[in-house]
Amino acid sequence: MPATVVFQNADHWVLGSWDTGIPWWFLLDLIKAVASFALLVVLTLFNIVYERRAVSWMQMRIGPNRVGPQGMLQSLADGIKLALKEDIVPDNADKVVFWLAPVVSAVPAFLAIAVIPWGPPVSIFHHWTPLQLVDLPIGVLYILAVSSIGIYGVVLAGWSSGSPYPLLGALRSSAQMISYEVAMGLSFAGVFLYAGTMSTTGIVAAQAGGWFVYLIPSAAIYIISMVGETNRAPFDLAEAEGELVGGFHTEYSSLKFALFFLAEYINLVTVSCLAVTMFFGGWRAPWPLSLWSGANSGWYPLIWFLVKLLIFVFVFIWLRGTLPRLRYDQFMSFGWKVLIPISLLWLLVLATARQLHTSNTLDRAHTVWIVIALGAVFLLVLLALEIRERNAIRRAAPDAALLSEYEPTAGGFPVPPMPGQAAPPIQARPQFSRTPVAVLASNGSATEEATPDEQE
């Protein structure tokens, strides 16, 4: 019979008749840390196949269907292939930084998941412990800080490659992080106002009476910002294949490239977990499952959390399969001129509504409905202003001075027009002549050849 773990006291683990002297809380934390790491790796393998199959379904293609049942082992085969590839380091690269950059990018992606609550306290080996590695009073700020460190890996990878295209991709990544981190932080401020805490566990507990999804502009701003933070389409300007070959990881191969790939998909999971935690009740069951008394106890909340997580992953896939990539100036203008001003104005509205609620002027139900109504009016006004601006742009005639300043081949290669400039009109292709052409047949007699249009 194999030795079994038996608890003889509340302080130490006992293996058979041997007292290990190890505190039980240390081993529980170790088990949860290993489980979190394994879950992230398995979700990465699953999400790669999930994305390829979903995009192939959207685009009416077959997708992976060779390796494993229904192609489910394709991502595992890709990982093995990357591990066996030749590891190439450019001659003019900074070797130390070139090796460290993938590690700097991947490690923070794993660390950010530590404060995400996957479920309520459960019994593991007869000891109650929450399905969370650690609950920090400033858990959300910890996630923002750790995810910001991951950008250093991208910037260092582009700089150390010694090539212009990776450097441009790295600069784009740093600009994206600065632009969209501000809007993301402002979207969280509304949740902090209504939850009264920055702890992820406290935020989930505050949603017992209703999810914070009714903070519609905050949720929308965060969802947009999280796509920009993870460099995913249509905001994948840092690795735009048509402009930058492969972006910041152009010179990477083998396992170092696999680490960047792993970091991207783990960041996708992290921001999706944060969205579920902040706005969609965390591990709490959705209605009507919440009417069941045991829905929010035991191991069932882990199922609800994973289902919500996979729905958000599908949103990422949906955006990639349907939307075209933005131009870089459009992307930066959207972050600074749209998201951040909207976030500031919406935070002012939320602070006013919260003050009315805390001063007992309005109860919770009325406050929620007022916030929803103000949010809807807010979005409608923004939509009307956007339509008005677009109509004004359409009606405005192109400035002759701007047309004269724009040179399509400035610098010896084609360049797009800058904001405010307009490209000259494209000349229509000349039509083929429909006049029959007389040719000599093989026997010397003249015949009429069909026109090019008739040949088509």
Side-chain angles (χ1 to χ4, degrees):
M1 292 291 292
T4 57
V5 176
V6 180
F7 291 94
Q8 294 181 347
N9 54 61
D11 297 328
H12 299 90
W13 284 49
V14 178
L15 184 61
S17 60
W18 174 49
D19 188 349
T20 62
I22 301 175
W24 63 266
W25 56 265
F26 175 79
L27 286 181
L28 282 180
D29 288 345
L30 182 62
I31 291 172
K32 289 191 289 185
V34 173
S36 299
F37 178 83
L39 182 61
L40 288 177
V41 174
V42 171
L43 281 174
T44 299
L45 296 176
F46 172 78
N47 286 336
I48 294 172
V49 177
Y50 183 27
E51 180 171 21
R52 294 180 65 178
R53 293 301 295 267
V55 171
S56 64
W57 170 68
M58 293 177 187
Q59 299 176 350
M60 301 183 67
R61 297 186 287 107
I62 296 176
N65 63 348
R66 297 283 184 179
V67 184
Q70 300 296 319
M72 291 300 294
L73 298 180
Q74 183 63 56
S75 55
L76 180 61
D78 291 341
I80 296 173
K81 178 192 71 173
L82 282 174
L84 297 177
K85 274 183 170 291
E86 181 183 3
D87 189 12
I88 300 174
V89 180
D91 292 335
N92 57 342
D94 189 312
K95 304 298 190 299
V96 177
V97 180
F98 190 81
W99 279 84
L100 288 178
V103 179
V104 174
S105 184
V107 170
F110 283 100
L111 295 178
I113 207 70
V115 297
I116 297 295
W118 297 85
V122 296
S123 177
I124 300 179
F125 298 121
H126 308 292
H127 282 274
W128 287 92
T129 180
L131 288 178
Q132 183 182 12
L133 193 57
V134 60
D135 181 23
L136 298 177
I138 52 171
V140 179
L141 297 185
Y142 164 81
I143 294 178
L144 291 176
V146 169
S147 61
S148 300
I149 294 174
I151 301 297
Y152 282 95
V154 175
V155 175
L156 293 176
W159 174 81
S160 64
S161 296
S163 179
Y165 288 132
L167 181 59
L168 287 174
L171 292 175
R172 286 185 173 187
S173 288
S174 60
Q176 285 184 217
M177 183 272 293
I178 295 171
S179 303
Y180 284 80
E181 280 274 346
V182 177
M184 182 182 290
L186 290 173
S187 69
F188 290 157
V191 177
F192 298 155
L193 282 174
Y194 278 80
T197 178
M198 295 183 185
S199 166
T200 51
T201 301
I203 291 172
V204 174
Q207 298 180 69
W211 296 358
F212 288 153
V213 69
Y214 66 83
L215 305 175
I216 301 173
S218 294
I221 290 168
Y222 173 73
I223 292 173
I224 296 172
S225 300
M226 74 180 187
V227 179
E229 275 288 297
T230 52
N231 292 333
R232 295 277 303 185
F235 299 152
D236 55 339
L237 279 305
E239 46 191 86
E241 296 87 355
E243 312 161 25
L244 304 177
V245 185
F248 61 91
H249 52 59
T250 300
E251 305 293 346
Y252 281 86
S253 61
S254 189
L255 284 177
K256 294 195 292 295
F257 175 78
L259 285 177
F260 281 119
F261 205 64
L262 180 67
E264 176 183 341
Y265 277 89
I266 292 178
N267 284 328
L268 184 150
V269 173
T270 301
V271 296
S272 299
C273 289
L274 193 55
V276 172
T277 302
M278 299 291 288
F279 298 101
F280 293 88
W283 45 261
R284 297 190 176 277
W287 188 90
L289 294 174
S290 58
L291 301 178
W292 173 37
S293 59
N296 292 324
S297 60
W299 292 88
Y300 293 109
L302 180 61
I303 300 176
W304 319 141
F305 191 94
L306 290 176
V307 170
K308 296 176 187 178
L309 170 63
L310 293 180
I311 291 174
F312 267 96
V313 172
F314 179 76
V315 171
F316 275 98
I317 298 170
W318 190 5
L319 294 176
R320 177 179 179 179
T322 55
L323 295 180
R325 181 181 294 123
L326 271 70
R327 206 172 61 218
Y328 186 68
D329 61 289
Q330 294 174 333
F331 175 69
M332 298 303 294
S333 176
F334 181 72
W336 286 102
K337 297 181 180 179
V338 179
L339 285 186
I340 293 177
I342 291 175
S343 301
L344 291 171
L345 293 175
W346 176 242
L347 184 59
L348 179 62
V349 172
L350 285 181
T352 304
R354 182 61 177 171
Q355 177 60 30
L356 292 175
H357 175 62
T358 54
S359 62
N360 296 324
T361 305
L362 296 172
D363 58 8
R364 178 181 173 84
H366 288 87
T367 304
V368 169
W369 282 112
I370 288 176
V371 169
I372 292 175
L374 290 175
V377 172
F378 195 66
L379 293 177
L380 289 175
V381 170
L382 292 174
L383 181 62
L385 292 175
E386 179 67 19
I387 294 175
R388 178 183 176 184
E389 182 178 356
R390 288 180 179 272
N391 291 335
I393 292 174
R394 291 193 189 99
R395 289 193 299 265
D399 191 352
L402 292 177
L403 283 175
S404 60
E405 292 175 1
Y406 172 61
E407 292 292 338
T409 57
F413 52 90
V415 293
M418 296 296 290
Q421 293 181 338
I426 300 174
Q427 299 295 330
R429 186 179 65 176
Q431 299 293 327
F432 288 108
S433 174
R434 293 186 175 275
T435 305
V437 181
V439 298
L440 292 177
S442 58
N443 57 4
S445 60
T447 60
E448 290 186 355
E449 187 183 53
T451 63
D453 293 338
E454 293 172 351
Q455 289 177 355
E456 293 178 0

